[in-house]
Amino acid sequence: GAVLRFLGVPILAAPRFSFPLTDARKSGWLPPGINLDSKSGLQVAVPYYWNVAPNLDATLTPSLSARRGPGVGAELRYLLPRHNGTFDLNLLPDDRLAQRARHSLALSQDSLFGDDTRLAARVLRVSDDAYWKDFPSEVKSLTPRLLASNLELTRTFGDWTAYARVQGWQVLQDVDPATRIEAPYQRAPQLGARLTRQTWSGYELNLEAEINRFTNPANGIAVERPTGVRLHALGSIARPFAAPGWTLTPKAAFNAASYALDQPLPDGRRNAARVIPTFSLDSAWAFERDTGWFGRAVRQTLEPRLLFVHTPLRRQSGLPNFDSAPKDFNFESIFTENVFSGVDRVSDATQLTAGVTSRVLDPQTGAEALRLGVVQRFLIRDQQLTCAVIPTGETDCVPFTRRFSDLLLLGSTTLIPNWTLDASVQYNADTKRAVRSVVGARYSPAPYHTVGMTYRLATGLSELLNNEQVELGWQWPVYGASPGSRGGESDGCRGSLYSVGRVNYSTRDSRITDSVIGFEYDAGCWIGRVVAERLSTGRSEATTRLLLQLELVGLSRLGSNPLQVLKDNIPGYRLLREERSTVPNAATTAPIYD
């Protein structure tokens, strides 16, 4: 006849209540989860946690959706001496809105055979193309419309690593043709070996050889793409010279590939091969001095770097492109020999990249208070190969003739008390305007007091590629004392109200794209959270969720958990209470009744 009352109102009842007083796990029903969103309406889920063994547990979650009907979720976790993994299944036998059965499956498995052989499997699959829109919290992927499945076996032989891999994709397309996505190739199989070692007299040798069978995923392409087998080899030998304050590294490398295609090339061949050499010379320096700024002892550094690259032109317009794409232009990619990722495209180059970074450090702790950097690339001769995918009917892309690339600038500082400022700008000297920029500022005068704003600008050759966004995020008390200023638990249940949120506004579309807005009320012995989340799922579509949670401090949390949403979306967000160091399960809390 046990009843749990909150402010005198009964909120849970059961024949018997039981909960652990330590971090030990215990079988039983977990607190119910309640979710409300614009797609499924009101949903109630009551998980049952089964502590099968110290290294094995399971969570079974029956649920009921007001619009879609009953469903069930199951999670199994195991930790064996040489095997560990998770199995997560969500099943909706009869979705009344979609009028069909729906499901999602996530599998993760890692195995160790001996000390040098590993097997890893990752599977993520859903029942239909609209699943990521209707159940966004169940698709745990950075690319919710592109779900990967991988099976990989690796074995080490001294300095060598051999591997075999199968990779596939499930592509979730939209009914709107304008939002269709192009999926990467599938690799079935991918076999290779890799050597990374330091050899005689300080020389560094790197070798890689692979054979791949590339196929197109179902529903993943709009126009037919070539398929076939590629055998490639990558190698480099470098001789670093180093002394206190400077390094000099000459390196010679090659990229060789051979193709056997299912469809003929434009000239009728089904087989092709090419070898492309590259020579580079990389040198970096580091100078530092002790000085003082505004009466404060600091250490200032000056870190210049030069990279010379020479790669002869090898025409690649008739060859397939299975895995290459232009790299993002930033401080990391500008100091690489090839402007393309992958293997199939290698840019010709005779160029010099020069940059310098200066930092201001605390001489005692090494903490960075200021960073300033600038870098630019100089073309000694025109670059002929400038795009990874050759348009149909064209023999090559337009050569890049500008001698100086866009200028990259960056800066960040914490010198101003309570402020964090950072910015990166890509500046085009010909147009005298910024092509891309990210500028951010965050003000944090005290714990649980943070507000930040970020401005992002990206311009392209067409209006569709232009993008301008403003993002505002915050955690700020509305009234009451913050947790850190309380005298302890003896103060009783005193109230403090916090506002939390993040809003992302697109100036091009004149609309809010994504947003999270809510309130947290900390009464000392209980915490209430109300959070609304809006996620864009198309140019004119969005999913809105309302997350409600009651946390009885020291006991449990009831309702839908918004904490991960807040931590992922609000820079500088802090929990009002530190989480207990329990073994996580599907509900991230210990059972309170059974």
Side-chain angles (χ1 to χ4, degrees), residues 463-469 504-514 536 538-540:
E463 185 64 29
L464 293 177
L465 297 178
N466 294 334
N467 192 16
E468 188 177 17
Q469 293 181 338
N504 197 339
Y505 180 79
S506 172
T507 59
R508 187 192 72 178
D509 301 328
S510 300
R511 69 183 183 97
I512 295 176
T513 55
D514 299 305
S536 292
R539 292 184 298 177
S540 59

Side-chain angles (χ1 to χ4, degrees), residues 221-291:
I221 59 173
V223 296
E224 193 61 29
R225 298 186 306 194
T227 58
V229 176
R230 183 190 71 196
L231 173 64
H232 80 257
L234 307 177
S236 67
I237 183 170
R239 177 57 172 94
F241 298 92
W246 64 271
T247 62
L248 179 65
T249 307
K251 183 171 72 172
F254 71 91
N255 180 319
S258 176
Y259 302 88
L261 305 175
D262 299 327
Q263 301 83 13
L265 295 170
D267 58 6
R269 295 179 299 156
R270 290 180 180 267
N271 297 279
R274 51 98 178 131
V275 179
I276 305 174
T278 295
F279 171 77
S280 65
L281 186 63
D282 191 358
S283 185
W285 295 270
F287 307 101
E288 61 182 36
R289 64 167 185 167
D290 293 325
T291 184

Side-chain angles (χ1 to χ4, degrees), residues 284-357:
W285 295 270
F287 307 101
E288 61 182 36
R289 64 167 185 167
D290 293 325
T291 184
W293 282 29
F294 308 107
R296 172 183 172 186
V298 297
R299 178 167 297 157
Q300 183 183 10
T301 72
L302 186 66
E303 305 167 35
R305 182 180 178 185
L306 291 173
L307 173 66
F308 172 78
V309 178
H310 175 69
T311 303
L313 174 64
R314 297 292 187 267
R315 296 291 178 180
Q316 303 157 57
S317 58
L319 300 177
N321 179 19
F322 294 127
D323 63 1
S324 284
K327 294 178 182 177
D328 186 39
F329 189 66
N330 54 43
F331 266 77
E332 298 297 327
S333 66
I334 197 172
F335 282 107
T336 57
E337 291 87 352
N338 188 11
V339 300
F340 301 114
S341 62
V343 174
D344 293 304
R345 293 292 180 266
V346 180
S347 58
D348 62 296
T350 302
Q351 62 192 28
L352 180 67
T353 303
V356 62
T357 301

